[in-house]
Amino acid sequence: MKKMLVSITLWCFASIAIAQHHESTKGINIIPIPVSVQEGMGSFTLLPTATIGYTPTAAVKEIAQQMQQKIARATGFSLAKSKGLSNATIQLQILTKRDTVLGNEGYRLQVTPTAVIIKANEPAGLFYGVQSLWQLLPAAIESKTVVNKMNWKIPEVAILDYPRFVWRGLMFDVARHFFTKQQVENYIDEMAKYKFNILHLHLTDDEGWRIEIKGLPRLTEIGAWNVKKVGYFGTFTPPKPDDPRNYGGFYTQDDIKEMVAYAQKKFVNILPEIDVPGHSLSAIVSYPDLSCTPGANTYHVRSGEEIMDWSHGAPPIALIDNTLCPANPKVYTFLDTVFTQVAKLFPFPYIHVGGDECPKNFWEISPAIHQLMQKEGLKTMEEVQSYFEKRIEKIVESKGKKFMGWDEILEGGLAPNAVVMSWRGMKGGIEAAKMKHRVVMSPTTFAYLDYMQGDSIIEPRVYATLRLNKAYSFEPVPDSVDSKYILGGQANLWTEQVYNTRHLQYMTWPRAFAVSETVWSPKANKNWLDFVNRVEHQFKRLDIEQVKYAPSMYDPIFTATKNAEGGLQIELATEVPNLQIHYSFDNSFPDQFYPVYSTPLTPPEDAVMLKVITYRGNKVMGRMIAMPIKELKKRAGIQ
Ligand code: ACM
């Protein structure tokens, strides 16, 4: 049975069954794709008379209650709890004899014409079985109000499923823009449905300190607030001295406890990140003594104005000093206080200490840093950062936690037990794994959800692009490393350019589907075309749930080149199959009656705009894109 793949015969079998299904339940379209799916010919229909039975533990009862609530919300049925387990219509069963195939998070889900039975070793497995069950029900199960006259049919099926990796993460940056506890909990709801189990909260940065620390009140009185601005973050005009600093917020320790408890009910662990020694302006503004630089007491929490010069590459040149001072004993006392409280608030065994993008130019001119270098025999600024990381590793470990940081912590020598989160590609992760350190892969190349997911002419502008198909090709285990060191993978959503939750959702879905399948499903089950089909089914669910997603995969890809005569040649392509691209050069809005793109285009002499839109038959799929010819010429290197 182990790793049984969805075979050709199974698909034939499935397609026979499809023909008999009600439109909204046809096929099995689960994301992430399970280890194995065997579809039968029959179906189960959820009726108001169905009962729920479960192994009587608090954790399983909680899962059963979540089920009852969701079923009631969409169907209006209030399902009764059955007295026994084996006579219930829906059964949530913890196995008394451990099933070694399933591990801690796997499950077996069986749907017959008369019952739905989910079995697992642990409550987490039952929870994931339930998430798959939702995706077997009609999309209307996601409705927030009762849907009448629905046939709540589920295809007959036997599913065996368990995750490929223990670390299935999403990072949510609540520092650049603050998101409330409720908004974070909503995000947890969404991620848990796709079997993510780690929410990495980026809690501190130059723009805000988001967690109450007792005894350090200025962190949240001063450090959590900046000036509200909109536009292209990073290029804002510096705030005026009297601009109100009332934009931001923070989580009280009670908020954190509630969030952690909420996440636990969804089998999500929260990984806290306190980003030091760079990205620390909010802490420095609150407590200027933490800086090596005189004059830090005149700084303000960043509101999106430029504070780094990236023109020379990494590390950046800081225009103001946003780093903690590794030569200052007060910094370690401060971090001891912070990590003591963070360790108590978050039960997850890891604390992430950041370590990324730490500018060194202020350290270079600091007498205190030079004294430290002499005393400790440190030769480079990277070794200064490494000295700092090793000291804070000891602090983090003294609180009973594991120390984790971005891959910059490798520079100048890795702390002895550090776990590395590789973001600048896979390189840092490979290096750390070869040194027998554990690694989480979250490379920009495949897993940065803040990047644009389509052409910059239509997407909100960010400095890089990550299309869905590229995200889907993410493989966390490089050939050159022993897979036992790779804990898993993670997608990161930085929020410099994300001002609200609708856009947060837009940036997350569907790319997080791609990452969820990478970190949960067997590598051999991944298939791009099949995935796209399932994504389209998930879109219907998100529509009903009123969760926003990016339709970018339906938008064409433009390639502009110079032809042999030095003129412009335009090629159009689509990321997903079965789309026609209709276009115009006459400024009017193309629809399905306009020419269909088939071969490379040369624009008419005086054309100023290429307008494109994709259709599937008569159904509009993509967005109208107006691409200036001037822009295409620029891309092709034509003056
Ligand atoms: C990062 O993206 N600076 C970790």
Side-chain angles (χ1 to χ4, degrees):
M1 267 311 252
K2 201 170 175 218
K3 297 216 176 180
M4 196 173 76
L5 302 182
V6 184
S7 66
I8 305 275
T9 41
L10 200 59
W11 280 120
C12 295
F13 181 33
S15 58
I16 296 163
I18 282 168
Q20 301 174 343
H21 284 144
H22 184 271
E23 164 65 20
S24 54
T25 59
K26 85 177 174 196
I28 306 288
N29 295 298
I30 297 172
I31 290 181
I33 192 165
V35 171
S36 97
V37 176
Q38 281 179 292
E39 195 176 357
M41 300 293 281
S43 64
F44 169 93
T45 300
L46 181 63
L47 298 170
T49 49
T51 55
I52 298 192
Y54 50 88
T55 303
T57 70
V60 182
K61 184 176 179 190
E62 168 62 35
I63 297 166
Q65 283 174 345
Q66 287 178 23
M67 275 191 96
Q68 281 170 313
Q69 280 163 14
K70 182 153 168 168
I71 288 171
R73 192 177 69 166
T75 68
F77 307 162
S78 45
L79 300 196
K81 177 181 179 304
S82 110
K83 292 220 169 57
L85 179 55
S86 59
N87 60 344
T89 333
I90 301 174
Q91 301 172 23
L92 301 178
Q93 190 182 329
I94 295 287
L95 293 160
T96 45
K97 187 170 169 297
R98 211 174 155 82
D99 180 337
T100 52
V101 173
L102 300 182
N104 290 336
E105 297 182 294
Y107 63 91
R108 292 180 193 273
L109 164 59
Q110 191 173 17
V111 179
T112 69
T114 54
V116 172
I117 301 167
I118 306 176
K119 295 180 183 176
N121 292 325
E122 303 287 342
L126 294 180
F127 180 82
Y128 293 128
V130 171
Q131 303 321 302
S132 293
L133 180 65
W134 299 135
Q135 295 190 37
L136 295 174
L137 274 154
I141 195 68
E142 300 302 337
S143 172
K144 295 191 175 107
T145 54
V146 172
V147 182
N148 292 310
K149 299 203 183 82
M150 258 318 282
N151 185 356
W152 299 102
K153 223 178 202 185
I154 308 175
E156 185 174 13
V157 75
I159 294 177
L160 162 67
D161 203 12
Y162 47 83
R164 180 173 173 207
F165 294 106
V166 292
W167 192 292
R168 305 184 300 278
L170 270 184
M171 191 215 72
F172 184 1
D173 170 7
V174 292
R176 268 48 181 278
H177 284 102
F178 179 64
F179 292 82
T180 64
K181 175 171 74 82
Q182 182 65 53
Q183 290 168 331
V184 173
E185 290 178 357
N186 293 345
Y187 203 67
I188 291 169
D189 288 341
E190 290 310 310
M191 63 187 279
K193 285 162 94 173
Y194 298 99
K195 305 186 176 86
F196 284 103
N197 67 345
I198 289 165
L199 175 66
H200 168 170
L201 279 186
H202 182 74
L203 286 166
T204 69
D205 213 305
D206 299 321
E207 297 78 9
W209 184 281
R210 306 297 181 203
I211 174 170
E212 177 192 14
I213 301 294
K214 309 262 192 218
L216 295 168
R218 291 174 61 86
L219 287 173
T220 41
E221 285 168 8
I222 312 282
W225 306 99
N226 63 11
V227 177
K228 182 175 168 67
K229 297 201 161 247
V230 290
Y232 285 115
F233 184 100
T235 63
F236 294 153
T237 48
K240 294 183 221 27
D242 57 351
D243 280 344
R245 294 196 157 263
N246 57 8
Y247 182 63
F250 64 93
Y251 310 115
T252 65
Q253 295 206 348
D254 283 341
D255 288 337
I256 297 278
K257 286 177 198 155
E258 286 172 29
M259 264 194 297
V260 165
Y262 188 87
Q264 278 173 338
K265 288 186 186 173
K266 304 274 170 164
F267 294 86
V268 168
N269 295 289
I270 302 186
L271 166 72
E273 180 189 352
I274 305 295
D275 196 354
V276 290
H279 287 279
S280 292
L281 188 59
S282 62
I284 288 161
V285 171
S286 309
Y287 296 100
D289 277 4
L290 300 173
S291 170
C292 299
T293 301
N297 57 343
T298 63
Y299 293 165
H300 296 289
V301 177
R302 185 182 184 217
S303 305
E305 67 276 22
E306 190 181 14
I307 62 164
M308 295 285 158
D309 173 4
W310 284 97
S311 62
H312 308 277
I317 309 283
L319 307 178
I320 59 172
D321 186 6
N322 70 338
T323 64
L324 302 184
C325 183
N328 182 352
K330 282 184 188 163
V331 164
Y332 302 100
T333 312
F334 167 83
L335 289 175
D336 194 285
T337 305
V338 171
F339 290 134
T340 300
Q341 296 181 35
V342 167
K344 284 208 183 98
L345 287 167
F346 295 92
F348 194 52
Y350 296 78
I351 292 179
H352 195 305
V353 300
D356 59 320
E357 301 177 322
C358 179
K360 310 288 191 317
N361 52 303
F362 282 96
W363 292 359
E364 277 162 8
I365 56 169
S366 161
I369 293 290
H370 285 282
Q371 272 165 22
L372 175 76
M373 291 173 81
Q374 212 160 30
K375 180 157 160 269
E376 299 293 334
L378 309 171
K379 290 181 194 60
T380 63
M381 290 302 146
E382 285 66 35
E383 288 182 18
V384 173
Q385 182 169 346
S386 171
Y387 165 86
F388 170 86
E389 304 293 353
K390 285 172 184 152
R391 280 192 69 170
I392 62 170
E393 181 187 67
K394 287 211 182 82
I395 298 175
V396 166
E397 288 181 347
S398 76
K399 314 302 168 201
K401 296 290 181 177
K402 297 188 174 90
F403 171 92
M404 171 172 232
W406 299 112
D407 56 67
E408 283 93 334
I409 64 171
L410 280 153
E411 294 166 2
L414 191 55
N417 306 313
V419 182
V420 171
M421 191 170 270
S422 190
W423 74 279
R424 295 177 298 176
M426 313 280 281
K427 199 167 70 37
I430 293 170
E431 192 183 329
K434 289 196 168 152
M435 290 158 67
K436 302 191 185 330
H437 284 252
R438 275 159 305 159
V439 168
V440 173
M441 291 293 191
S442 63
T444 54
T445 28
F446 301 101
Y448 262 41
L449 302 184
D450 57 322
Y451 286 9
M452 294 181 292
Q453 41 207 321
D455 199 287
S456 58
I457 207 76
I458 182 151
E459 298 294 339
R461 186 159 43 106
V462 182
Y463 56 89
T465 304
L466 171 66
R467 281 189 171 269
L468 180 64
N469 60 358
K470 181 83 174 175
Y472 193 67
S473 67
F474 179 27
E475 169 46 43
V477 183
D479 290 341
S480 59
V481 307
D482 185 338
S483 62
K484 79 174 185 222
Y485 295 111
I486 310 293
L487 293 174
Q490 180 170 298
N492 296 335
L493 182 46
W494 301 100
T495 59
E496 285 97 327
Q497 313 293 349
V498 180
Y499 296 77
N500 62 60
T501 50
R502 295 302 287 172
H503 196 54
L504 183 81
Q505 294 169 349
Y506 176 97
M507 297 306 282
T508 304
W509 313 109
R511 287 179 300 184
F513 291 150
V515 177
S516 96
E517 190 144 306
T518 293
V519 292
W520 176 279
S521 306
K523 190 174 164 183
N525 283 15
K526 286 179 73 182
N527 175 307
W528 167 246
L529 294 180
D530 179 55
F531 172 71
V532 169
N533 177 45
R534 285 178 289 116
V535 166
E536 296 198 7
H537 279 86
Q538 296 301 324
F539 281 171
K540 290 185 204 149
R541 291 172 180 271
L542 296 185
D543 283 338
I544 289 170
E545 225 186 324
Q546 301 182 314
V547 170
K548 198 171 190 174
Y549 54 85
S552 315
M553 71 177 202
Y554 295 121
D555 293 332
I557 301 165
F558 297 82
T559 308
T561 49
K562 204 194 285 197
N563 64 22
E565 293 78 46
L568 177 63
Q569 174 168 300
I570 307 162
E571 282 171 78
L572 302 175
T574 59
E575 192 174 352
V576 302
N578 303 325
L579 294 178
Q580 301 88 46
I581 307 170
H582 297 273
Y583 67 93
S584 78
F585 281 114
D586 61 10
N587 306 324
S588 63
F589 296 115
D591 60 19
Q592 72 271 42
F593 299 97
Y594 276 61
V596 178
Y597 174 84
S598 60
T599 53
L601 303 171
T602 305
E605 186 178 5
D606 295 315
V608 291
M609 195 69 83
L610 168 61
K611 287 194 175 135
V612 298
I613 189 162
T614 58
Y615 275 73
R616 187 172 287 155
N618 280 321
K619 188 164 177 239
V620 64
M621 303 299 286
R623 295 168 292 192
M624 178 74 61
I625 300 182
M627 174 65 86
I629 300 299
K630 228 177 170 168
E631 167 67 18
L632 290 171
K633 282 189 172 161
K634 199 169 106 195
R635 293 183 188 186
I638 300 167
Q639 294 319 310

Short mmCIF file of all heavy atoms in Angstrom, two decimals, residues 172 174 178-188 199 201 250-260 262:
data_model
loop_
_atom_site.label_atom_id
_atom_site.label_comp_id
_atom_site.label_asym_id
_atom_site.label_seq_id
_atom_site.Cartn_x
_atom_site.Cartn_y
_atom_site.Cartn_z
N PHE A 172 4.15 34.89 7.78
CA PHE A 172 3.27 36.06 7.69
C PHE A 172 3.99 37.20 8.40
O PHE A 172 4.28 37.11 9.59
CB PHE A 172 1.94 35.69 8.36
CG PHE A 172 0.84 36.71 8.29
CD1 PHE A 172 0.98 37.93 7.65
CD2 PHE A 172 -0.38 36.43 8.89
CE1 PHE A 172 -0.05 38.85 7.60
CE2 PHE A 172 -1.43 37.34 8.86
CZ PHE A 172 -1.26 38.56 8.21
N VAL A 174 3.87 40.40 10.03
CA VAL A 174 2.91 41.32 10.67
C VAL A 174 3.61 42.58 11.16
O VAL A 174 3.03 43.38 11.89
CB VAL A 174 2.16 40.63 11.84
CG1 VAL A 174 1.23 39.55 11.31
CG2 VAL A 174 3.14 40.06 12.87
N PHE A 178 0.71 45.97 10.16
CA PHE A 178 0.16 45.21 11.28
C PHE A 178 -1.17 44.58 10.87
O PHE A 178 -1.99 45.20 10.19
CB PHE A 178 -0.05 46.13 12.48
CG PHE A 178 -0.63 45.42 13.66
CD1 PHE A 178 0.08 44.40 14.29
CD2 PHE A 178 -1.89 45.74 14.15
CE1 PHE A 178 -0.45 43.71 15.37
CE2 PHE A 178 -2.44 45.06 15.23
CZ PHE A 178 -1.71 44.05 15.84
N PHE A 179 -1.35 43.34 11.27
CA PHE A 179 -2.62 42.64 11.07
C PHE A 179 -3.13 42.19 12.44
O PHE A 179 -2.34 41.75 13.28
CB PHE A 179 -2.44 41.45 10.13
CG PHE A 179 -2.13 41.88 8.71
CD1 PHE A 179 -0.83 42.22 8.34
CD2 PHE A 179 -3.13 41.99 7.76
CE1 PHE A 179 -0.54 42.65 7.05
CE2 PHE A 179 -2.85 42.42 6.47
CZ PHE A 179 -1.56 42.76 6.11
N THR A 180 -4.42 42.33 12.66
CA THR A 180 -4.97 42.07 13.99
C THR A 180 -4.98 40.57 14.31
O THR A 180 -4.85 39.73 13.42
CB THR A 180 -6.42 42.58 14.09
OG1 THR A 180 -7.20 41.81 13.16
CG2 THR A 180 -6.53 44.06 13.77
N LYS A 181 -5.21 40.29 15.58
CA LYS A 181 -5.32 38.90 16.04
C LYS A 181 -6.38 38.15 15.22
O LYS A 181 -6.17 37.03 14.77
CB LYS A 181 -5.68 38.89 17.52
CG LYS A 181 -5.95 37.51 18.10
CD LYS A 181 -6.10 37.55 19.60
CE LYS A 181 -7.42 38.14 20.05
NZ LYS A 181 -8.54 37.19 20.02
N GLN A 182 -7.51 38.80 15.03
CA GLN A 182 -8.59 38.18 14.25
C GLN A 182 -8.14 37.88 12.82
O GLN A 182 -8.43 36.82 12.27
CB GLN A 182 -9.80 39.13 14.24
CG GLN A 182 -11.00 38.59 13.51
CD GLN A 182 -11.58 37.36 14.20
OE1 GLN A 182 -11.87 37.40 15.40
NE2 GLN A 182 -11.71 36.25 13.47
N GLN A 183 -7.41 38.81 12.24
CA GLN A 183 -6.93 38.60 10.87
C GLN A 183 -5.92 37.46 10.79
O GLN A 183 -5.92 36.68 9.84
CB GLN A 183 -6.34 39.91 10.31
CG GLN A 183 -7.42 40.96 10.06
CD GLN A 183 -6.86 42.35 9.80
OE1 GLN A 183 -5.79 42.71 10.28
NE2 GLN A 183 -7.60 43.13 9.03
N VAL A 184 -5.08 37.38 11.81
CA VAL A 184 -4.12 36.26 11.84
C VAL A 184 -4.88 34.94 11.99
O VAL A 184 -4.58 33.95 11.33
CB VAL A 184 -3.10 36.44 12.99
CG1 VAL A 184 -2.20 35.20 13.13
CG2 VAL A 184 -2.24 37.68 12.75
N GLU A 185 -5.90 34.94 12.84
CA GLU A 185 -6.68 33.70 13.04
C GLU A 185 -7.40 33.29 11.75
O GLU A 185 -7.49 32.11 11.44
CB GLU A 185 -7.65 33.87 14.21
CG GLU A 185 -6.88 33.93 15.54
CD GLU A 185 -7.74 34.13 16.77
OE1 GLU A 185 -8.98 34.29 16.65
OE2 GLU A 185 -7.17 34.15 17.87
N ASN A 186 -7.89 34.27 11.02
CA ASN A 186 -8.51 33.94 9.73
C ASN A 186 -7.50 33.30 8.78
O ASN A 186 -7.82 32.38 8.03
CB ASN A 186 -9.11 35.19 9.07
CG ASN A 186 -10.30 35.74 9.84
OD1 ASN A 186 -10.85 35.06 10.71
ND2 ASN A 186 -10.68 36.98 9.56
N TYR A 187 -6.29 33.82 8.83
CA TYR A 187 -5.22 33.27 7.98
C TYR A 187 -4.93 31.82 8.39
O TYR A 187 -4.73 30.94 7.55
CB TYR A 187 -3.97 34.14 8.11
CG TYR A 187 -3.01 34.05 6.96
CD1 TYR A 187 -3.36 34.52 5.69
CD2 TYR A 187 -1.74 33.50 7.12
CE1 TYR A 187 -2.47 34.45 4.63
CE2 TYR A 187 -0.85 33.42 6.06
CZ TYR A 187 -1.22 33.90 4.82
OH TYR A 187 -0.34 33.82 3.76
N ILE A 188 -4.93 31.59 9.70
CA ILE A 188 -4.71 30.22 10.22
C ILE A 188 -5.80 29.28 9.69
O ILE A 188 -5.52 28.17 9.26
CB ILE A 188 -4.66 30.23 11.76
CG1 ILE A 188 -3.39 30.94 12.24
CG2 ILE A 188 -4.75 28.81 12.33
CD1 ILE A 188 -3.36 31.25 13.73
N LEU A 199 2.87 28.36 11.27
CA LEU A 199 2.72 29.78 10.93
C LEU A 199 3.89 30.51 11.56
O LEU A 199 4.01 30.59 12.78
CB LEU A 199 1.41 30.34 11.48
CG LEU A 199 1.23 31.85 11.26
CD1 LEU A 199 1.10 32.18 9.78
CD2 LEU A 199 0.02 32.38 12.02
N LEU A 201 5.45 33.77 12.40
CA LEU A 201 5.07 35.19 12.53
C LEU A 201 6.32 36.04 12.64
O LEU A 201 7.10 35.90 13.60
CB LEU A 201 4.21 35.39 13.79
CG LEU A 201 2.73 35.05 13.74
CD1 LEU A 201 2.07 35.47 15.04
CD2 LEU A 201 2.01 35.69 12.54
N PHE A 250 0.00 46.13 18.10
CA PHE A 250 0.79 45.03 18.67
C PHE A 250 -0.15 44.03 19.32
O PHE A 250 -1.34 44.32 19.52
CB PHE A 250 1.81 45.57 19.67
CG PHE A 250 1.20 46.22 20.88
CD1 PHE A 250 0.96 45.48 22.05
CD2 PHE A 250 0.85 47.57 20.87
CE1 PHE A 250 0.37 46.08 23.16
CE2 PHE A 250 0.26 48.17 21.98
CZ PHE A 250 0.02 47.43 23.13
N TYR A 251 0.39 42.88 19.63
CA TYR A 251 -0.38 41.85 20.33
C TYR A 251 0.00 41.90 21.80
O TYR A 251 1.19 41.87 22.14
CB TYR A 251 -0.08 40.46 19.78
CG TYR A 251 -0.18 40.39 18.27
CD1 TYR A 251 0.94 40.12 17.49
CD2 TYR A 251 -1.40 40.62 17.63
CE1 TYR A 251 0.86 40.09 16.11
CE2 TYR A 251 -1.49 40.58 16.25
CZ TYR A 251 -0.35 40.32 15.49
OH TYR A 251 -0.44 40.30 14.12
N THR A 252 -1.01 41.97 22.67
CA THR A 252 -0.72 41.83 24.09
C THR A 252 -0.35 40.36 24.33
O THR A 252 -0.59 39.50 23.48
CB THR A 252 -1.96 42.16 24.94
OG1 THR A 252 -2.97 41.18 24.64
CG2 THR A 252 -2.50 43.56 24.65
N GLN A 253 0.18 40.10 25.51
CA GLN A 253 0.54 38.70 25.79
C GLN A 253 -0.72 37.84 25.83
O GLN A 253 -0.68 36.66 25.46
CB GLN A 253 1.37 38.62 27.07
CG GLN A 253 2.72 39.34 26.87
CD GLN A 253 3.84 38.85 27.77
OE1 GLN A 253 3.61 38.10 28.73
NE2 GLN A 253 5.05 39.27 27.46
N ASP A 254 -1.84 38.42 26.26
CA ASP A 254 -3.10 37.65 26.22
C ASP A 254 -3.50 37.34 24.78
O ASP A 254 -3.98 36.25 24.48
CB ASP A 254 -4.22 38.41 26.93
CG ASP A 254 -4.09 38.31 28.45
OD1 ASP A 254 -3.38 37.40 28.93
OD2 ASP A 254 -4.68 39.16 29.15
N ASP A 255 -3.32 38.34 23.90
CA ASP A 255 -3.61 38.10 22.47
C ASP A 255 -2.79 36.92 21.95
O ASP A 255 -3.29 36.06 21.22
CB ASP A 255 -3.24 39.32 21.60
CG ASP A 255 -4.18 40.50 21.79
OD1 ASP A 255 -5.32 40.30 22.22
OD2 ASP A 255 -3.73 41.64 21.49
N ILE A 256 -1.50 36.93 22.32
CA ILE A 256 -0.61 35.86 21.83
C ILE A 256 -1.11 34.51 22.34
O ILE A 256 -1.19 33.54 21.58
CB ILE A 256 0.85 36.10 22.29
CG1 ILE A 256 1.40 37.41 21.71
CG2 ILE A 256 1.74 34.90 21.97
CD1 ILE A 256 1.92 37.36 20.31
N LYS A 257 -1.45 34.47 23.63
CA LYS A 257 -1.92 33.19 24.19
C LYS A 257 -3.17 32.71 23.45
O LYS A 257 -3.32 31.53 23.15
CB LYS A 257 -2.24 33.35 25.68
CG LYS A 257 -0.99 33.44 26.55
CD LYS A 257 -1.35 33.68 28.01
CE LYS A 257 -0.13 34.21 28.75
NZ LYS A 257 -0.48 35.00 29.94
N GLU A 258 -4.06 33.65 23.14
CA GLU A 258 -5.30 33.27 22.43
C GLU A 258 -4.98 32.79 21.00
O GLU A 258 -5.56 31.81 20.53
CB GLU A 258 -6.26 34.47 22.36
CG GLU A 258 -6.93 34.75 23.70
CD GLU A 258 -7.73 36.05 23.68
OE1 GLU A 258 -8.24 36.44 22.62
OE2 GLU A 258 -7.83 36.69 24.75
N MET A 259 -4.05 33.49 20.35
CA MET A 259 -3.68 33.08 18.99
C MET A 259 -3.06 31.69 18.98
O MET A 259 -3.36 30.86 18.12
CB MET A 259 -2.65 34.06 18.41
CG MET A 259 -3.28 35.13 17.57
SD MET A 259 -2.16 36.05 16.56
CE MET A 259 -1.08 36.88 17.55
N VAL A 260 -2.17 31.46 19.95
CA VAL A 260 -1.50 30.16 20.03
C VAL A 260 -2.54 29.06 20.27
O VAL A 260 -2.51 28.00 19.62
CB VAL A 260 -0.43 30.18 21.15
CG1 VAL A 260 0.03 28.76 21.51
CG2 VAL A 260 0.76 31.03 20.73
N TYR A 262 -5.72 29.17 19.59
CA TYR A 262 -6.55 29.05 18.38
C TYR A 262 -5.84 28.19 17.34
O TYR A 262 -6.42 27.28 16.74
CB TYR A 262 -6.84 30.45 17.82
CG TYR A 262 -7.85 30.42 16.69
CD1 TYR A 262 -9.21 30.48 16.95
CD2 TYR A 262 -7.43 30.29 15.37
CE1 TYR A 262 -10.14 30.42 15.93
CE2 TYR A 262 -8.35 30.22 14.33
CZ TYR A 262 -9.70 30.30 14.62
OH TYR A 262 -10.61 30.23 13.60
#
